[in-house]
Amino acid sequence: MDTTPGEQPPANDACRTRVVLDIVGDKWSLLVVRQLKDGPRRFTELKRAIDGISQRVLTVKLRSLERDGILTRTVHNVMPPHVSYELTELGGTLREATAPLLEWSVAHLSRIDEARAAYDARAHAPKAP
């Protein structure tokens, strides 16, 4: 059910949005979506581009995103066969919606690191008597 801006969705729909937020809040999904912004990529290209992701986790994320309609998986009939992944129209809208968040993350990473270091230093400082 569509709502107008500012209008609250029905309670059931609001609860179901957690499914979508699970995609957005996932550690790896947005990084996969970001890597597909310029067009189809092969599994190995994605694996190399996403630092720290394991082969198993990438496989699980790709299947999940395919199931959710965010990307498509295409098997190319060449020898040896290869598979590519590409954003769907829905995936493109997710990328557009989350691009500012990813850009904000990159722009503010050093400030977050500094804030964490300062917090950790205060948390481990000896307490005054």
Side-chain angles (χ1 to χ4, degrees), residues 5 21 29 56 62 86 91 110:
L21 294 176
S29 294
R56 181 186 182 292
L62 290 169
E86 183 173 18
S110 63

Side-chain angles (χ1 to χ4, degrees), residues 41-49 58 83:
R41 304 275 304 263
R42 293 177 67 174
F43 183 93
T44 53
E45 293 174 305
L46 292 169
K47 173 90 173 63
R48 270 193 306 265
L58 180 56
V83 177

Side-chain angles (χ1 to χ4, degrees), residues 29-105:
S29 294
L30 290 185
L31 296 176
V32 170
V33 168
R34 184 179 191 202
Q35 290 302 317
L36 295 173
K37 70 180 167 52
D38 294 324
R41 304 275 304 263
R42 293 177 67 174
F43 183 93
T44 53
E45 293 174 305
L46 292 169
K47 173 90 173 63
R48 270 193 306 265
I50 303 172
D51 188 41
I53 195 167
S54 70
Q55 183 169 332
R56 181 186 182 292
V57 170
L58 180 56
T59 298
V60 169
K61 284 294 122 199
L62 290 169
R63 286 180 184 159
S64 176
L65 291 168
E66 181 181 12
R67 180 176 182 259
D68 291 335
I70 304 301
L71 59 81
T72 58
R73 177 182 185 268
T74 304
V75 178
H76 300 274
N77 292 323
V78 295
M79 287 310 277
H82 76 267
V83 177
S84 65
Y85 299 89
E86 183 173 18
L87 291 177
T88 61
E89 182 182 337
L90 180 62
T93 63
L94 175 61
R95 193 202 68 72
E96 290 171 11
T98 58
L101 176 61
L102 291 168
E103 291 168 12
W104 181 92
S105 300

Side-chain angles (χ1 to χ4, degrees), residues 80 85 100 109 116 121:
Y85 299 89
L109 190 55
R116 288 178 175 176

Side-chain angles (χ1 to χ4, degrees), residues 1-11 13-14:
M1 171 186 249
D2 290 335
T3 59
T4 57
E7 181 183 345
Q8 293 294 325
D13 285 353

